[in-house]
Amino acid sequence: MALTDLLPANPDPDNLYEAFSQWTAERGIELYPAQEEALIEVVSGANVIVSTPTGSGKSLVAVAAHFAAMARGVRTFYTAPIKALVSEKFFALVDIFGADHVGMMTGDSNVNPDAEIICCTAEILANIALRFGDRAPVGQVVSDEFHFYSEPDRGWAWQVPLLELPQAQFVLMSATLGDVSLFEKDLTRRTGRPTAVITSAQRPVPLTYRYALTPLHETMSELLSGGQAPVYVVHFSQAAAVERAQALMSINVATRAEKEAIADLIGDFRFAAGFGKTLSRLVRHGIAVHHAGMLPKYRRLVEQLAQAGLLKVICGTDTLGVGINVPIRTVVFSALTKYDGVRQRHLKAREFHQIAGRAGRAGYDTDGYVVVQAPDHVVENAKALEKAGDDPKKKRKIVRKKAPEGFVNWTESTFERLVSSPPEPLTSSFQVSHSMLLNVISRPGSAFDHMRHLLEDNHEDRPAQRRHIRRAIAIYRALLAAGVVEQLDEPDEEGRIVRLTVDLQFDFALNQPLSPLALAAIELLDPESVSYPLDVVSIIESIVDDPRPVLSQQQFKARGEAVAAMKAEGIEYDERMALLDEITYPKPLEELLNAAYSTYRRGHPWVEDYQLSPKSVVRDMYERAMNFVEYINFYSLARSEGLVLRYLADCYDALRHTVPDEAKTEPLQDLIAWLGELVRQVDSSLLDEWEALRHPEEHLGETRPRRPEGRVAPITQNVRAFRVMVRNELFRRVELAARRAYEELGALDGASGWDAVEWEAALEEYFEEHNDLGIGPDARGPKLLMIEQELQVWRVRQIFDDPAGHHDWGISAEVDLAASDEAGAAVLRITAVDQL
C-alpha cells in the first residue's frame, strides 16, 4: 500500500501517528525510540530539532513530516546542501508518494514545481522566503544537514527561512548540531509553536574507537582479518586517496570467488584510458577510490559494488561526511588535520563526528569501528621502542624521529579530545546582497519594514548587524541611482512605498545570474564571422563557475612554455620572473566582456554580487581538436575528470538554454551537438539525470540499476556531432603538421603504418613547395573537408590551407564506424598525405 493511500480523512495527531505506524509496520520497519518521539512531535504540529547520530533514521522522520503536511493540506519543502542530495531525495520521495505529489527545484531545473512536496537546495527556499515572507506558500520546512547553517558563504540560506517563515513548521536535522538551545527558543518565539529537541547519544550501531600505532598496511591487514570490512580510509586530498589505494594492492583483500563476482557485476562497463584503467585494476582487486573529482559513472560503480558487499577497502576523501551512499563498517582516518584553503589545521569536532558517524551499517552490522592512524614519525618511534623491548640501554640509543618541518602534528590526546567533544555550537553566517534587497523589495508591503526585520532580528550580534545595515543602505542607494528601484509618494495597491522598475524571474539569482549579460554580449558579435561559434562559447564560459583545477593547470603549462621561450631568447632570470606574473590561463574576449560587464552593471547593480570570469576550456578543447581523454592527459587532470565533465555539461546546458534559437547559426549548432555528444560518450549519467528529472514518471526504477551502466548510444548515430569529431581529428593532425611535430603525429598513427618517418617524408614534400601551413579559422572550415559517407566506412579528405591558395595538398583517411562506436570517439586510419 502506498503511503498516500493511508492519508486519514481527519488529520488529528492520533490518526496521523496510527497511519504512519501502519505503513512502517507493513515494511517491517521498527521505529527507534528517538524516531517514535520525533514522530509524535511532528504529527502534533511542533517544531522538531533532530540531533541524532548517523544511521538513526532521520530520513524516516522527514517522510513522516511530509506525510503529516500532506494530510493537513499544507505545502512542505525538503532542503539539502547539494544538488546531488536533492536529486537523490526527490527520487526516493517519488517512490514513496508518487510522481504527481513530488517536485524539485535546484536552479538548474524545475520539475513539477506546484507539487505538495518540493525538494530543493537551501538557496531556493531562502529566495522564496525573501520574495514572499509570511505569504509564501510554505507550510512546513524539513532542513537536512542543518549544520551547514555555519558555512561562511552559504549559511545565510539556512538562516533566512527561520527569520521569514513564521507560518511554517520546522524540522531541522543533522547528526552534528551541538548545542541547539538558541534555535529551540528562537523557533518557538517566531512561530508560536512548541519546539521539541530530539537528541540521542545512543547509536543503533555502537562505535568502538582506537588509536593505531602500527603502519597503515598493518592496520588494514588486522581489520580485514578481523572481519571489520568494508573499510573506508579517509584522506584529505584526492591524490593521497589514489596513491593509498594503489599501495594497498600489495594486500590480497578479496578471494577468487569475490573477484569473479566483481568481474561479473562490472560486465561490459566501459573504463576509459587514464584513471579509468587504474580504477579497473583496483576494483577487480576489491579496492576502490571514491572522491568528488571522479566521473559520476565511476563513483556510481564503486557505490554499487560496495552495496553488493564486494569491496573490502575504499580509499576516499572526506566527502564521506556529506551523505554519500557507501555502506561501510570501519572508518580509518589517515590524519586528523586538513587544509581548509588557508592553512593546515586540526579537524573540528563536528567534522570528525560527521565522518566517523558513517561507520556501522544499521541492519547489517552490530558494531562499527573508527580507527585513527598516528603520524608516520610516531609510528616509527613506537616500532623502535617495541624492538628495544625492556632493555634500557637499547632504549637510550634510540634516535627519535621528529615531525617534518611545518608538519601540523596530532597525538593520541588530539584523538581523545575529538572523540569526547560534542560538535561546536553553530555560528551565524548572515549576509546581505543585492539579490536579497531585490527579492524583499518585490514583496508586497513596506520594503523598509521587511528589511528592518531581517537586519535587526537575525542571529548576528549587534556590531555585525550594524555592518549589515550599512551595506544594505549602500546597496539600496546604488539600486536607486541606477533606476532599478523607485520610491513612491504614496503606497501602491499592495502597500509598497518602493518598487522595482524591472521584472525578476522566479528563479532570479539562482541559475547563471549573469545570463542576461551573456545575451547582451552575444548581440555584439557578428554571426557571419568565422569565429562566431567559438566567441559565443567564450561568452557562455565567462558566466559558468570556474573549474579551478583546469585553470590552474592551464596557467602552469602556459608559464612553462613561456619560460622555455624566454630562455631561448636569452632573457635574464629576474626579468623572466617579472614577465611570468603577467601570464595566466587563456581568457578569450576578455576586453569585450569586461566592457560589457561595466556597461551592464550601471543599469543592473546587483551583478556586483557575481563575478564575470573569462576563460577557455570548451573552446580550448575544440581549438586543440582534442577528445576528453586527450585533454585530461594534456593538462594532467586525471584526478579531476568528474569536475571537468561537470563543467562541460554545464556549458552544454547553458548553450542550449541560454543562447536564443535565432542566434544559433549552423556552425554553432554543430559545435553544440559536438559538445553534447562528447559529454554523453564520456559519461551519459549527467544528461540522463537531466532527462530523468524532467520526466520522473518515465524513469522510476532506473535510479538504482542492478548493474553498472555499460554502453551508451552508438556515437555514429548523432551524425552532426560525429562529423565535427571527424573534422577535429583531422584538424589536429593539420596543427601538428604545421608545427612539423612528426613524433606526435607518429604517436597518433603509428599503429596504422604512419609513424614519424612516414609523416616527415610526406610533409617535407609539401614544405619544399610552401613556407607554412594555415591553421586559422578558414583552415578548419567545412569547405576544406570532404566526406563520402558509406555504411561501414567514411572516406574523408582534409585539404590544407596553403599560402598560395591552391588547395591541392591534404590528408586522406578512412573512418571506421564500428570501431568508432566501440571507442566512443572517431577512429580513423590515414591512407595518404599527398598532392592531388
Side-chain angles (χ1 to χ4, degrees):
M1 184 175 291
L3 186 51
T4 48
D5 295 333
L6 297 174
L7 288 169
N10 176 13
D12 66 30
D14 289 340
N15 290 339
L16 288 171
Y17 183 90
E18 183 179 343
F20 192 77
S21 297
Q22 178 185 342
W23 181 77
T24 57
E26 287 176 353
R27 277 151 186 75
I29 301 171
E30 183 177 350
L31 298 178
Y32 300 127
Q35 288 176 311
E36 285 189 334
E37 186 182 352
L39 175 57
I40 291 169
E41 298 292 350
V42 162
V43 299
S44 71
N47 300 312
V48 183
I49 302 174
V50 186
S51 180
T52 58
T54 302
S56 58
K58 289 185 285 295
S59 293
L60 195 64
V61 175
V63 171
H66 298 317
F67 176 71
M70 284 186 69
R72 295 190 177 109
V74 300
R75 210 152 174 242
T76 172
F77 281 68
Y78 167 89
T79 72
I82 59 176
K83 294 174 185 176
L85 289 181
V86 173
S87 173
E88 180 182 307
K89 182 60 66 174
F90 167 75
F91 282 112
L93 292 176
V94 165
D95 284 340
I96 294 170
F97 291 98
D100 292 341
H101 299 288
V102 187
M104 185 179 70
M105 302 177 188
T106 64
D108 289 336
S109 60
N110 289 344
V111 180
N112 198 14
D114 297 321
E116 300 104 306
I117 303 172
I118 294 295
C119 302
C120 63
T121 54
E123 284 82 358
I124 294 282
L125 179 61
N127 278 280
I128 291 173
L130 290 170
R131 183 77 63 93
F132 299 103
D134 59 8
R135 301 186 188 188
V138 181
Q140 183 189 81
V141 175
V142 178
S143 185
D144 206 355
E145 306 290 352
F146 187 72
H147 57 274
F148 272 77
Y149 169 95
S150 283
E151 286 290 303
D153 295 329
R154 301 180 61 202
W156 68 271
W158 275 260
Q159 183 172 163
V160 162
L162 308 183
L163 309 179
E164 294 294 286
L165 301 175
Q167 77 279 13
Q169 175 190 23
F170 285 89
V171 179
L172 312 180
M173 306 190 303
S174 172
T176 54
L177 287 180
D179 180 10
V180 295
S181 54
L182 162 69
F183 302 102
E184 181 182 5
K185 295 172 186 174
D186 190 67
L187 280 174
T188 297
R189 175 177 70 85
R190 294 177 189 277
T191 66
R193 302 170 185 264
T195 300
V197 179
I198 312 298
T199 58
S200 173
Q202 185 70 34
R203 283 177 50 94
V205 179
L207 294 182
T208 300
Y209 296 87
R210 76 180 174 96
Y211 190 71
L213 289 167
T214 50
L216 184 59
H217 68 276
E218 290 184 19
T219 304
M220 294 301 297
S221 295
E222 290 175 19
L223 293 171
L224 293 168
S225 61
Q228 295 175 23
V231 182
Y232 194 102
V233 189
V234 182
H235 303 79
F236 295 96
S237 78
Q238 296 171 1
V242 176
E243 289 169 10
R244 183 80 66 187
Q246 291 175 314
L248 290 174
M249 286 280 284
S250 60
I251 303 174
N252 190 20
V253 304
T255 64
R256 171 176 284 187
E258 288 168 335
K259 290 176 181 177
E260 289 174 353
I262 290 170
D264 181 61
L265 184 60
I266 290 173
D268 62 353
F269 183 93
R270 181 192 288 170
F271 291 95
F275 177 73
K277 299 303 181 188
T278 299
L279 182 64
S280 178
R281 289 194 303 273
L282 289 169
V283 295
R284 293 176 195 279
H285 197 76
I287 298 173
V289 176
H290 193 288
H291 61 69
M294 293 166 58
L295 293 177
K297 68 178 182 181
Y298 292 157
R299 290 203 307 272
R300 188 173 292 112
L301 171 66
V302 169
E303 290 166 14
Q304 289 172 340
L305 288 168
Q307 289 157 8
L310 297 174
L311 293 179
K312 298 298 179 66
V313 178
I314 303 171
C315 296
T317 57
D318 54 339
T319 52
L320 177 70
V322 194
I324 64 166
N325 192 18
V326 175
I328 51 179
R329 190 172 192 192
T330 302
V331 168
V332 175
F333 285 82
S334 63
L336 290 179
T337 60
K338 67 179 292 186
Y339 182 70
D340 62 6
V342 178
R343 61 188 175 88
Q344 194 80 14
R345 61 165 174 80
H346 287 129
L347 295 182
K348 297 177 181 177
R350 169 169 290 106
E351 293 167 330
F352 177 79
H353 289 296
Q354 193 73 29
I355 298 168
R358 296 293 167 184
R361 302 163 296 177
Y364 294 90
D365 300 322
T366 56
D367 295 281
Y369 303 91
V370 178
V371 180
V372 173
Q373 281 293 124
D376 289 342
H377 69 279
V378 175
V379 170
E380 290 188 39
N381 290 336
K383 285 186 76 73
L385 281 170
E386 183 182 7
K387 190 174 181 180
D390 296 328
D391 188 332
K393 291 183 179 179
K394 290 182 178 179
K395 285 184 177 181
R396 283 196 298 270
K397 290 181 180 179
I398 293 174
V399 179
R400 294 180 180 271
K401 295 217 168 190
K402 295 181 180 179
E405 188 175 348
F407 181 78
V408 178
N409 196 26
W410 69 92
T411 64
E412 192 164 4
S413 297
T414 313
F415 158 71
E416 291 170 349
R417 175 182 58 77
L418 288 171
V419 171
S420 61
S421 297
E424 297 82 2
L426 297 175
T427 55
S428 173
S429 298
F430 189 80
Q431 292 180 3
V432 176
S433 65
H434 288 78
S435 59
M436 175 180 281
L437 260 73
L438 288 167
N439 274 313
V440 171
I441 290 170
S442 70
R443 189 195 308 181
S446 168
F448 294 115
D449 290 342
H450 297 326
M451 281 305 302
R452 183 180 296 112
H453 165 71
L454 262 176
L455 295 169
E456 295 185 351
D457 193 22
N458 53 48
H459 298 161
E460 302 277 281
D461 60 25
R462 191 56 188 161
Q465 288 180 348
R466 282 195 284 267
R467 289 195 300 272
H468 296 316
I469 290 169
R470 287 194 292 270
R471 173 159 170 75
I473 291 171
I475 291 174
Y476 175 72
R477 287 172 175 166
L479 294 173
L480 201 62
V484 177
V485 301
E486 60 181 1
Q487 289 186 204
L488 306 177
D489 294 331
E490 295 182 359
D492 66 10
E493 63 277 6
E494 292 191 295
R496 296 185 182 91
I497 56 175
V498 178
R499 69 182 178 193
L500 300 178
T501 61
V502 296
D503 292 328
L504 301 182
Q505 69 270 26
F506 178 74
D507 58 353
F508 167 74
L510 297 175
N511 182 26
Q512 307 305 351
L514 293 179
S515 292
L517 168 62
L519 293 177
I522 288 172
E523 292 179 1
L524 301 175
L525 303 179
D526 177 9
E528 300 301 320
S529 168
V530 291
S531 66
Y532 174 79
L534 289 173
D535 289 343
V536 171
V537 167
S538 292
I539 290 172
I540 294 300
E541 289 200 74
S542 72
I543 67 170
V544 178
D545 290 342
D546 288 351
R548 296 193 181 280
V550 185
L551 305 186
S552 176
Q553 287 299 100
Q554 285 181 332
Q555 178 169 286
F556 178 77
K557 185 171 278 286
R559 288 183 171 179
E561 293 170 353
V563 166
M566 286 187 281
K567 283 182 178 179
E569 294 174 19
I571 298 175
E572 294 296 325
Y573 175 81
D574 290 341
E575 187 179 353
R576 290 204 306 267
M577 292 301 101
L579 291 171
L580 274 183
D581 288 339
E582 301 173 9
I583 296 174
T584 182
Y585 52 85
K587 299 180 180 181
L589 305 187
E590 181 178 21
E591 189 173 331
L592 179 147
L593 287 166
N594 286 338
Y597 180 79
S598 296
T599 302
Y600 189 80
R601 185 174 55 190
R602 294 189 197 112
H604 308 80
W606 63 82
V607 302
E608 291 182 15
D609 291 339
Y610 312 97
Q611 290 301 311
L612 193 70
S613 179
K615 52 188 169 291
S616 177
V617 178
V618 175
R619 181 171 188 154
D620 186 40
M621 183 181 291
Y622 188 85
E623 289 184 323
R624 292 183 185 278
M626 289 182 173
N627 59 36
F628 185 82
V629 173
E630 291 167 341
Y631 196 77
I632 291 295
N633 291 339
F634 183 73
Y635 284 114
S636 302
L637 292 165
R639 293 195 301 271
S640 303
E641 285 181 330
L643 180 145
V644 177
L645 185 74
R646 172 68 68 175
Y647 176 84
L648 298 178
D650 287 346
C651 289
Y652 172 61
D653 199 44
L655 283 165
R656 286 200 303 167
H657 295 115
T658 300
V659 180
D661 288 342
E662 59 271 20
K664 293 176 181 172
T665 60
E666 282 292 318
L668 178 56
Q669 288 179 341
D670 286 347
L671 195 153
I672 295 171
W674 161 79
L675 180 57
E677 193 60 31
L678 182 146
V679 171
R680 187 173 289 106
Q681 291 296 323
V682 172
D683 185 343
S684 65
S685 60
L686 290 175
L687 305 187
D688 292 343
E689 181 179 304
W690 291 343
E691 291 306 312
L693 294 176
R694 291 179 178 120
H695 307 286
E697 66 285 348
E698 298 175 11
H699 292 263
L700 292 180
E702 296 181 15
T703 57
R704 291 174 295 279
R706 285 175 295 175
R707 292 179 64 87
E709 44 198 59
R711 307 291 175 176
V712 295
I715 193 171
T716 57
Q717 284 187 3
N718 188 340
V719 176
R720 170 173 242 154
F722 189 62
R723 285 178 67 95
V724 178
M725 291 180 182
V726 170
R727 182 191 308 163
N728 284 352
E729 286 293 331
L730 287 164
F731 191 71
R732 185 174 177 202
R733 288 158 173 82
V734 172
E735 286 188 305
L736 293 173
R739 292 193 282 111
R740 306 191 191 197
Y742 303 126
E743 292 297 329
E744 292 181 58
L745 285 165
L748 282 175
D749 300 305
S752 59
W754 279 81
D755 58 16
V757 175
E758 288 292 324
W759 272 104
E760 183 173 6
L763 288 170
E764 284 308 306
E765 289 187 43
Y766 170 86
F767 286 115
E768 286 176 7
E769 184 176 341
H770 302 287
N771 292 328
D772 59 17
L773 174 56
I775 55 172
D778 291 334
R780 75 182 307 154
K783 293 180 181 178
L784 296 184
L785 177 65
M786 301 168 61
I787 299 179
E788 293 180 18
Q789 296 180 208
E790 299 180 11
L791 286 178
Q792 300 298 323
V793 174
W794 286 7
R795 306 186 194 285
V796 297
R797 183 167 177 84
Q798 175 67 58
I799 301 169
F800 289 168
D801 185 23
D802 61 86
H806 294 158
H807 294 162
D808 52 353
W809 273 86
I811 302 172
S812 296
E814 292 180 346
V815 182
D816 187 328
L817 302 190
S820 297
D821 285 336
E822 177 68 21
V827 175
L828 52 83
R829 182 176 64 85
I830 305 300
T831 57
V833 179
D834 57 9
Q835 182 180 29
L836 295 181

